Amino acid sequence: MQDLLASALAPRSVAVIGASENIHKIGGRPIHYMQRHGFQGAIYPINPAREEIQGHRSYASLAALPEAPDLAVIALGGDRTVAAVEECAARGVKGAVVIASGFGETGPAGRELQDHMVARARAAGMRLYGPNTQGLANFGTGAIAGFSTMFIEVPPQDGPVGIVSQSGGMSSMVYGLLRGRGLGVRHVHATGNEADVTVAEMAWAVAHDPDVKLLLLYLENIARPDMLAAAAAYARERDLPIVAVKAGRTAGGQKAASSHTGALANEDRAVDAFFKHHGIWRVRDPHEQARAAHAYLKGWRPEGRRLVVISNSGASCVMGADAADDAGLTLAPLSEATQAAVASKLPGFATASNPIDVTAALLSNSGLFGDVLPAVAQDPAADLFFLNIPVAGAGYDVDRFARDAAAFEAAAGKPVAVAAWQESVAAPFRAHGIATFPNEGEAIAVLAQVAGHTALMRAPRTAWPDLPDVQVPAGAQGFLNEVDSLDLLARHGVPTVPLRLCRTADEARAAFDAIGAPAVVKACSADVPHKSEHGLVALNVQTREQAAELFERFWAKMDAMGVQRDGVIVAATRKARREFMVGARMDPVFGPVVVVGDGGKYVEALKDCAVLLPPFSEPDVQAALRTLRIAPLLGGVRGEPPLDVQALSRIAVAAGRVIAGARGAIASLDLNPVMVGAAGEGAVVVDALVEVSKP
């Protein structure tokens, strides 16, 4: 275990301030739990009204202790909590768990008290956990600095899972769900308001426990993305999967999160991108975390997403194929040799192709699963196996089915999941260690999750070691005008449309002569970022006199609007097979964030886009484009050619490098539309807007 937070995870001594003899009170639970679960350090109850608590000498104050404890649990309320934090800091306590609520989650006054506690703790070099926390628990060391009732309802068992959560209720729920599935849990830590120590820091510390094989997180905000990224990088190095629930996906959820833990919920698409970028798998709720835990702990790391479905029911084979498609898995195309080997084991009316229907013959021949599975195992197309048993019972040797499946999984080293809704059928499979679920949807979803997460963790990491030195014009504020925006992008490798900035009608005529028909004429003003809304854009300009007339009209209109007149643009017309958009912004939490998606005038309404976090590669952009609703159009439909997604990807990478290379000087980029041609025809930005960061 790393030194970071060791005083909380493996303390040598724990003081409980506000200790109680009653084990059902907050001040009594930690003492009871530590005694019950083998804590080997010193326990110091602090309660001036009692001489002894739960068999331990009680002390009147921290000052009366024979030593400064590594960790203190503060089980007091109101102003007494603040005083206790100050006392701990003065005494040299290394860490304090503040259970009380009524701080940052309640508003400005509570946050002021919370900030005061943090300041006192940091000045003394003490770490603060909470406030508004259910506490910490390490069943490996017996250090239980919390009061969760779930540890009474569901007896703990040390195991290979770590849980770190902002919410105490969610940490207990995940713990209960895992224990209900027979899985042992070592770490159950709730960080509450995260006034000091965050989920990210606890995740880093727990990831360094070599006995932890699965790390589950619950977050309502991401306060330390740098530390969470570091924890995820270390987890990938040691092949430790991290599965996270990030609540606050909706506006209502974000508002609730703010009142719950005092958190500011992060923009959800950026959260998704952050998790993907760092190999963290996101699920919707704790039930999904618990559902897949057994599969992760079995060490499943499939090579691909190709599934073999085997059942004793033709209908179940069909439903298994449907569930696989829903989960993004493909049915493995078994070779002719494999199908022949399978057919030799089955009756003539059975189906040897995938899905494999062994039929009701399973009733009379209990060895069919054991015969078929090894025949399929060696097929290089088979990555995952799913057995669906919709009916069995009297006359079926279910225990043999389970033994054969377990032996196959051990020999093949490939994932096997079973769906059996009858408890009498499911129980033998679970007893033999097979991942077993009540229906095909859950079973196949877990197979898909582990396959997807494995690929995510193994994905190569992109590096941008040589960022450009991006400089915005001196004295620029707000938005750059279109010409300056396009010029900045062009200097850093973004292909832009040919254009000229004109200050007179004669210059507009000359620009038209140079550019040719049809041309585009647009007003240019840093004060008018969206020109079409004001009638300041004209398309399909065919003559030099038309260009001059438009110059005069736009020049006069800008004057009437009282806006800065930077000039009038005469630009070449560029047609596209499809209009896209590329955007970028500086996120207050994650830093540079890039958006790529369907473009044009309906971009805000349709919102068909994907988010990436730098650094990323052109293949990363192409993978993101395949997640869009318009993805089927990328390859060409109804005789249309495929689009030049490589050129679009180069622009997205270049935009990411620009905003990252600006090092905070640029607040946002808006490239819309990006005109994308057919494959090989390239892509070009015809309009852009650069927003300069406020000083």
Side-chain angles (χ1 to χ4, degrees):
M1 189 73 67
Q2 296 289 297
D3 290 340
L4 179 65
L5 310 186
S7 61
L9 302 185
R12 293 169 299 178
S13 54
V14 179
V16 180
I17 303 173
S20 173
E21 181 69 25
N22 187 339
I23 67 168
H24 296 302
K25 289 188 175 181
I26 289 176
R29 287 275 173 88
I31 299 170
H32 172 68
Y33 287 153
M34 285 189 284
Q35 291 184 136
R36 185 173 178 178
H37 298 295
F39 179 62
Q40 297 298 306
I43 300 174
Y44 297 122
I46 296 179
N47 185 332
R50 300 185 67 95
E51 294 185 357
E52 182 178 292
I53 293 178
Q54 297 185 43
H56 295 271
R57 176 186 171 185
S58 178
Y59 295 84
S61 66
L62 272 173
L65 297 183
E67 62 175 334
D70 280 352
L71 186 66
V73 181
I74 301 176
L76 302 172
D79 293 339
R80 299 170 65 199
T81 295
V82 179
V85 168
E86 293 174 340
E87 187 180 2
C88 288
R91 185 69 171 87
V93 174
K94 295 179 180 178
V97 179
V98 181
I99 291 173
S101 57
F103 292 95
E105 78 280 9
T106 63
R111 178 161 292 279
E112 185 176 349
L113 282 176
Q114 181 172 294
D115 291 345
H116 170 75
M117 290 192 299
V118 173
R120 292 300 301 269
R122 287 179 176 168
M126 181 176 76
R127 301 309 306 266
L128 204 65
Y129 304 86
N132 189 26
T133 177
Q134 192 168 269
L136 315 176
N138 180 352
F139 293 104
T141 62
I144 319 297
F147 65 93
S148 175
T149 299
M150 193 60 68
F151 301 156
I152 293 175
E153 296 297 311
V154 184
Q157 175 184 315
D158 188 16
V161 183
I163 301 167
V164 184
S165 169
Q166 280 181 262
S167 162
M170 288 301 100
S171 69
S172 292
M173 181 180 180
V174 178
Y175 162 86
L177 290 169
L178 292 171
R179 293 294 299 117
R181 293 172 178 264
L183 301 176
V185 180
R186 170 162 294 183
H187 296 274
V188 187
H189 306 305
T191 57
N193 284 8
E194 299 195 335
D196 178 21
V197 177
T198 66
V199 163
E201 290 172 286
M202 292 300 292
W204 166 266
V206 172
H208 282 75
D209 184 335
D211 294 324
V212 170
K213 306 302 180 187
L214 174 64
L215 180 52
L216 306 178
L217 308 180
Y218 172 88
L219 307 102
E220 289 173 1
N221 75 325
I222 301 177
R224 287 289 309 275
D226 56 335
M227 181 60 75
L228 187 54
Y234 179 76
R236 289 196 308 273
E237 287 179 10
R238 57 163 294 216
D239 195 30
L240 169 66
I242 301 177
V243 181
V245 171
K246 167 60 176 66
R249 294 179 294 103
T250 65
Q254 291 172 6
K255 182 177 180 181
S258 180
S259 63
H260 180 204
T261 63
L264 293 175
N266 311 117
E267 200 277 321
D268 202 58
R269 290 182 304 173
V271 171
D272 270 342
F274 177 85
F275 284 158
K276 290 177 182 178
H277 191 77
H278 295 291
I280 299 171
W281 191 263
R282 185 180 187 181
V283 296
R284 292 180 64 89
D285 57 46
H287 294 279
E288 289 192 21
Q289 286 182 313
R291 185 177 69 186
H294 185 205
Y296 282 108
L297 295 176
K298 289 171 75 69
W300 288 356
R301 302 294 185 269
E303 294 297 324
R305 301 177 63 84
R306 297 165 299 181
L307 177 71
V308 176
V309 176
I310 305 172
S311 180
N312 61 330
S313 160
S316 292
C317 286
V318 174
M319 292 181 68
D322 286 342
D325 190 67
D326 290 342
L329 299 179
T330 59
L331 293 179
L334 301 178
S335 68
E336 291 184 5
T338 298
Q339 293 186 53
V342 170
S344 70
K345 305 294 184 181
L346 298 177
F349 52 85
T351 304
S353 60
N354 188 19
I356 300 171
D357 179 10
V358 301
T359 74
L362 187 63
L363 176 61
S364 57
N365 182 1
S366 297
L368 282 180
F369 279 148
D371 290 340
V372 169
L373 284 168
V376 179
Q378 302 307 315
D379 194 304
D383 301 311
L384 310 159
F385 293 84
F386 167 58
L387 307 183
N388 199 351
I389 307 177
V391 61
Y396 288 89
D397 190 350
V398 178
D399 192 64
R400 180 174 179 181
F401 303 163
R403 288 198 312 272
D404 288 346
F408 163 76
E409 183 182 44
K414 295 182 178 181
V416 177
V418 170
W421 66 270
Q422 293 172 273
E423 179 57 26
S424 60
V425 177
F429 281 96
R430 285 198 299 267
H432 283 84
I434 298 294
T436 306
F437 304 88
N439 56 68
E440 66 275 347
E442 290 188 27
I444 289 176
V446 168
L447 289 170
Q449 176 177 331
V450 176
H453 199 176
T454 298
L456 196 61
M457 292 177 67
R458 291 176 175 173
R461 304 290 138 178
T462 301
W464 288 352
D466 56 341
L467 283 176
D469 181 19
V470 178
Q471 301 290 329
V472 299
Q477 295 182 3
F479 292 99
L480 301 185
N481 66 38
E482 182 179 344
V483 170
D484 289 342
S485 295
L486 288 169
D487 180 64
L488 184 148
L489 293 168
R491 290 200 309 270
H492 297 288
V494 177
T496 59
V497 65
L499 58 80
R500 290 192 179 185
L501 181 64
C502 308
R503 300 279 299 178
T504 67
D506 284 340
E507 287 182 0
R509 293 184 182 93
F512 180 88
D513 291 341
I515 287 174
V520 177
V521 177
K522 298 184 278 186
C524 183
S525 171
D527 295 335
V528 189
H530 302 292
K531 298 174 286 295
S532 59
E533 297 175 6
H534 300 278
L536 294 171
V537 177
L539 307 177
N540 197 31
V541 178
Q542 294 291 336
T543 69
R544 66 197 309 268
E545 291 308 318
Q546 187 182 2
E549 179 186 340
L550 287 166
F551 174 90
E552 298 288 6
R553 186 193 311 170
F554 291 168
W555 192 258
K557 188 165 185 177
M558 286 190 287
D559 187 44
M561 293 171 62
V563 299
Q564 176 178 311
R565 295 187 293 181
D566 296 324
V568 173
I569 297 168
V570 178
T573 296
R574 288 291 181 266
K575 294 184 179 180
R577 294 284 180 176
R578 186 85 186 181
E579 293 183 5
F580 286 82
M581 59 79 65
V582 175
R585 64 181 174 86
M586 287 298 294
D587 186 274
V589 174
F590 301 114
V593 173
V594 175
V595 182
V596 59
D598 200 13
K601 64 181 180 180
Y602 299 121
V603 62
E604 290 87 359
L606 299 178
K607 297 179 180 178
D608 188 15
C609 57
V611 179
L612 300 106
L613 264 62
F616 54 85
S617 64
E618 292 177 25
D620 292 332
V621 179
Q622 292 161 29
L625 290 170
R626 289 193 291 272
T627 69
L628 302 180
R629 293 192 297 274
I630 62 164
L633 305 182
L634 302 178
V637 295
R638 290 187 172 272
E640 296 176 353
L643 300 178
D644 200 336
V645 293
Q646 290 184 332
L648 175 60
S649 299
R650 285 194 295 272
I651 290 175
V653 171
R657 288 174 57 80
V658 166
I659 195 165
R663 294 170 174 82
I666 292 177
S668 68
L669 301 172
D670 183 5
L671 287 57
N672 182 34
V674 179
M675 312 299 273
V676 178
E681 291 180 353
V684 63
V685 178
V686 299
D687 199 351
L689 194 61
V690 174
E691 182 185 7
V692 178
S693 297
K694 294 180 180 179

